[in-house]
Amino acid sequence: MTTAEAYDLLLAHAGASPDPDHPKFAGGFLGMLRPYHALCEHNFHEVMQALRTVAPQLQEPAVDRELISALWGICHFGRAWALEKGSMLQRNDLITEADADRLDEWLSIISYAVTSLLDDSGAEEAFQSYDFYLANARGSGPAPN
């Protein structure tokens, strides 16, 4: 995946693609939550693969606001729509406790990676939780932070 492809994919997963016909706009990471039917683990892995690809950009002295907005949006709206008490998925009993726990783990892994890249901890540290997740049957236990 090229950097440009990863950038576009992250925007689409965040619902911020300039192309409303992009298939990930409605079915991507945030799109799977609204309207909610089920979690799609493939979306999580695409976000992480794209994040690995753009990691060098996040370690530059100046970062792209649009990219940061997409990453922040994935984490913020994922929590606001599905995990917070009184969120639309919680108050309407649309998300199971197991799915909420899994989504919480995914969002923690994504946000830790982004934070680590931005504070210059390095890519190895940034993706440690995700690598642990992959090594342990894709989430059979909590990822370390």
Side-chain angles (χ1 to χ4, degrees), residues 37-117:
H37 300 291
L39 295 181
C40 176
E41 185 153 350
H42 180 73
N43 287 330
F44 169 59
H45 294 297
E46 275 191 350
V47 167
M48 292 306 295
Q49 180 184 8
L51 185 53
R52 275 194 206 268
T53 302
V54 300
Q57 287 182 274
L58 296 175
Q59 295 176 302
E60 293 293 322
V63 295
D64 185 292
R65 286 181 57 153
E66 188 175 44
L67 178 59
I68 294 300
S69 177
L71 293 166
W72 184 259
I74 287 169
C75 294
H76 174 76
F77 291 114
R79 289 191 185 287
W81 295 348
L83 302 180
E84 291 180 6
K85 185 178 179 179
S87 67
M88 66 180 169
L89 299 185
Q90 296 282 333
R91 78 173 171 268
N92 293 309
D93 294 320
L94 296 174
I95 190 166
T96 65
E97 188 175 332
D99 277 358
D101 289 345
R102 187 164 54 144
L103 181 61
D104 184 47
E105 181 178 21
W106 294 351
L107 292 171
S108 292
I109 290 169
I110 294 167
S111 63
Y112 184 79
V114 172
T115 299
S116 295
L117 291 168

